[in-house]
Amino acid sequence: MDGQVKSLLKKHSLRLTQGRKDVLSIFLHRNIAISHSDIESDIDGKYDRVTIYRTLKSFLEKGLIHKVLDDSGATRYALCNDNCSEAEHQHNHIHFKCQSCDETTCLDHVNIPSVTLPDGFQMAESNFLITGTCAKCA
C-alpha cells in the first residue's frame, strides 16, 4: 500500500510527508467516506486537528478527495476516482448511506437520474444520497 500512497501523492503534485502518507493510508484502507473525527480516531493523537485539517484541504484542492454530504450534516470525505485533478473534479455520482452501520459509500458506477431544472436555473454541482441497508448489513 505504501507504493500506492506515494504514487497518488506524486500524481496529485503533493509533497510526500509522513502526515499525508498516514491520512491517505486511512482513506485507502477504509474505502468509505470518512470524517475529520474518524481520521483523528485512527491516527490516535499522532497529529493535531490543524494538521489533519490542512492535509484534507490540500487533498481537496489537488483533486485527491471530495466532500460527501449526508443526512447527518457532518462533512465526510472520500477518495476521488482516477479522472479527478486539481483543475477538475469528476465526482457527480451517487452516495449510499447505510442506516444500519452508518457508513457512506460512493457508487461511481450507478447511473444518475436525469434532472431538468426550470428556466433560469443553472446547476453547478449536485449531490445524490440514497439511504437504506448496504450489502454488508443486509
Side-chain angles (χ1 to χ4, degrees):
M1 187 181 298
D2 195 44
Q4 186 179 13
V5 169
K6 289 177 183 177
S7 174
L8 281 169
L9 290 173
K10 183 177 181 179
K11 176 184 174 187
H12 291 277
S13 303
L14 287 159
R15 249 184 350 104
L16 183 65
T17 66
Q18 191 61 48
R20 287 178 177 163
K21 285 173 39 177
D22 290 345
V23 171
L24 185 52
S25 293
I26 293 168
F27 278 101
L28 291 167
H29 183 260
R30 303 230 3 225
N31 203 28
I32 58 171
I34 55 178
S35 68
H36 186 282
S37 61
D38 292 333
I39 295 168
E40 278 186 298
S41 295
D42 283 6
I43 287 183
D44 196 28
K46 190 172 180 183
Y47 306 103
D48 62 29
R49 292 180 65 86
V50 174
T51 300
I52 297 168
Y53 172 78
R54 287 182 182 148
T55 299
L56 292 172
K57 185 174 186 244
S58 296
F59 286 3
L60 279 167
E61 289 171 352
K62 294 290 187 174
L64 184 56
I65 62 173
H66 64 277
K67 286 185 181 182
V68 176
L69 304 175
D70 65 25
D71 60 347
S72 71
T75 301
R76 297 179 189 270
Y77 305 90
L79 284 174
C80 288
N81 62 37
D82 291 336
N83 300 326
C84 288
S85 68
E86 185 174 2
E88 184 178 0
H89 276 277
Q90 297 290 328
H91 58 85
N92 284 334
H93 55 262
I94 293 174
H95 295 107
F96 185 93
K97 182 174 181 187
C98 180
Q99 294 172 318
S100 295
C101 65
D102 211 31
E103 291 183 353
T104 302
T105 307
C106 295
L107 302 178
D108 291 316
H109 303 296
V110 175
N111 291 330
I112 297 173
S114 175
V115 176
T116 304
L117 297 174
D119 288 341
F121 288 80
Q122 195 170 32
M123 184 182 331
E125 186 177 332
S126 61
N127 292 292
F128 293 92
L129 177 68
I130 297 174
T131 60
T133 305
C134 70
K136 185 173 68 175
C137 295

